[in-house]
């Protein structure tokens, strides 16, 4: 199914079997490594497109501190691992436009195909992949190889699911909710609110560097239209989907777009003519202060306090405004303490109860499980 994340789960199992550590520790190790590598690849990709060291370093730091990525690099979830494969895909796209780097065309197809085994949301990048291949239509040997490898990896997902008795549509559907169909049932006002929310997400992730990201988009359009249209197509599909997708935590689906926007920030930094901007690029390290200040301001408002009380079971306002996850109440602790949530989350507690029983059968106490 779309929610099983086959490659992510099996990579964790592989790490667990090789190292002998617990499943949760194996997950954490994979997330930490994926997060670190993703930031490194964002730097390398920025360096390839800008040829400017300081702009690339700044963009990598800005992305590493961005709310959505930072938060998901600290929790046991698929999105950091997914970011790793997508960052490799984007890196190969940029390198393909360099002279004598045509092997990257094939590597782009490989990494893109693998990314679909991590998260099926990446299917939204197929239009961008097609545009990318179109620009290399004269390099028939490379584009056909890239496309063929991608299709083999992609369709093998369906073959695997069918071999397990699942339907042909199982990779693209979920039994847990009707989120996709509900995304088309909103009112005009709700769609408008979604757009406003997406802009707020963007600013909260990149603060003042949002301006440089927007500037980078225009600079790239003027200087390299081929690269621009590949990433514009990718951005349009991913950003549009994440904006209107009818789930409460849709901010995580912006992460692939945020990688692209970080590259745009690096391009904007490298092309601006004002030396003052370069001198103050070090402000990127103050992102934690931005989150803290935002939290302090919102917590003083009536709506902020009401929201904090409503979401207290999850950590309150801090959970939603701080990317760091210190002392956060996990689902295992929540389930053991039999806490009550005003939001529906039975599907999470059911899975947690199964895992808790498994851990108890291995000798873990409830206090030890809570600390996991």
């Amino acid at each position: 199914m779309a929610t099983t994340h086959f490659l992510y789960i099996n990579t964790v199992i592989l790490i667990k079997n090789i190292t002998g550590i617990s499943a949760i520790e194996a997950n954490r190790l994979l997330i930490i490594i994926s997060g670190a590598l993703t930031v490194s690849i964002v730097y390398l990709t920025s360096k390839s497109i800008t040829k400017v060291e300081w702009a690339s370093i700044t963009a990598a730091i800005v992305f590493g501190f961005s709310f959505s990525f930072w938060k998901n690099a600290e929790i046991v979830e698929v999105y950091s691992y997914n970011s790793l494969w997508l960052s490799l895909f984007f890196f190969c796209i940029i390198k393909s436009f360099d002279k004598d780097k045509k092997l990257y065309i094939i590597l782009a197809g490989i990494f893109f195909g693998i990314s679909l085994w991590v998260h099926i949301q990446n299917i939204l990048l197929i239009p961008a992949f097609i545009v990318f291949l179109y620009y290399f239509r004269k390099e028939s040997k490379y584009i056909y190889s890239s496309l063929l490898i991608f299709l083999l990896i992609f369709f093998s997902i369906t073959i695997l699911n069918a071999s397990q008795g699942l339907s042909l549509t199982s990779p693209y559907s979920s039994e847990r909710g009707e989120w996709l169909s509900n995304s088309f049932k909103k009112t005009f006002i709700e769609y408008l609110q979604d757009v406003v929310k997406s802009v707020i997400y963007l600013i909260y992730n990149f603060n003042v560097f949002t301006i440089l990201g927007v500037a980078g988009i225009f600079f790239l359009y003027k200087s390299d239209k081929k690269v621009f249209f590949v990433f514009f197509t990718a951005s349009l599909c991913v950003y549009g989907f994440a904006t209107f997708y009818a789930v409460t935590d849709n901010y995580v689906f912006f992460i692939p777009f945020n990688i692209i926007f970080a590259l745009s920030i690096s391009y904007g930094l490298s092309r601006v003519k004002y030396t003052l901007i370069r001198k103050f690029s070090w402000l990127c390290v103050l992102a934690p202060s931005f989150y803290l200040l935002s939290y302090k301001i919102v917590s003083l408002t009536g709506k902020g306090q009401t929201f904090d009380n409503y979401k207290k079971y999850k950590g309150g306002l801090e959970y939603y405004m701080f990317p760091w996850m210190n002392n956060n109440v996990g689902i295992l602790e929540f389930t053991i303490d039999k806490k009550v949530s005003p939001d529906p989350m039975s599907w999470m507690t059911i899975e947690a109860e199964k895992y808790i029983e498994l851990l108890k059968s291995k000798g873990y106490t409830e206090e030890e499980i809570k600390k996991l």
Side-chain angles (χ1 to χ4, degrees), residues 88-113 129-150:
L88 287 169
F89 172 51
F90 296 148
F91 174 76
C92 290
I93 287 177
I94 295 297
K95 296 297 288 186
S96 296
F97 284 99
D98 288 347
K99 292 182 179 179
D100 302 321
K101 300 288 185 180
K102 298 302 181 283
L103 181 62
Y104 284 99
I105 299 173
I106 298 176
L107 290 175
I110 294 173
F111 290 132
F112 183 33
F129 183 57
I130 293 173
V131 173
F132 166 69
L133 294 180
Y134 172 77
Y135 285 130
F136 293 98
R137 58 193 180 277
K138 294 182 180 179
E139 304 286 345
S140 57
K141 178 178 69 174
Y142 293 99
I143 67 165
Y144 288 136
S145 297
S146 182
L147 181 60
L148 178 60
I149 292 172
F150 165 72

Side-chain angles (χ1 to χ4, degrees), residues 187-308:
T187 64
F188 174 77
I189 297 299
E190 288 175 324
Y191 284 124
L192 190 60
Q193 290 173 337
D194 286 341
V195 173
V196 173
K197 189 191 300 181
S198 71
V199 174
I200 293 173
Y201 282 156
L202 184 65
I203 296 173
Y204 201 65
N205 271 278
F206 298 109
N207 47 76
V208 296
F209 289 91
T210 306
I211 300 172
L212 288 162
V214 174
I217 294 172
F218 289 102
F219 289 138
L220 184 61
Y221 174 76
K222 290 181 179 180
S223 61
D224 196 331
K225 286 184 172 57
K226 290 183 178 180
V227 175
F228 169 83
F229 279 113
V230 171
F231 284 103
F232 177 77
T233 304
S235 299
L236 192 64
C237 295
V238 173
Y239 191 88
F241 168 79
T243 298
F244 302 116
Y245 193 35
V247 291
T248 55
D249 58 348
N250 67 321
Y251 76 95
V252 299
F253 297 104
F254 286 97
I255 295 177
F257 167 79
N258 289 350
I259 298 175
I260 298 173
F261 197 76
L263 301 179
S264 181
I265 289 174
S266 72
Y267 205 74
L269 284 167
S270 68
R271 293 298 184 273
V272 290
K273 299 178 180 179
Y274 306 105
T275 56
L276 185 65
I277 293 177
R278 177 175 180 174
K279 290 180 180 180
F280 283 93
S281 61
W282 61 268
L283 289 173
C284 61
V285 301
L286 297 181
S289 300
F290 170 72
Y291 298 128
L292 183 60
L293 179 62
S294 300
Y295 167 75
K296 292 294 184 182
I297 293 173
V298 174
S299 63
L300 294 175
T301 66
K303 288 186 176 180
Q305 293 168 2
T306 300
F307 184 86
D308 182 60

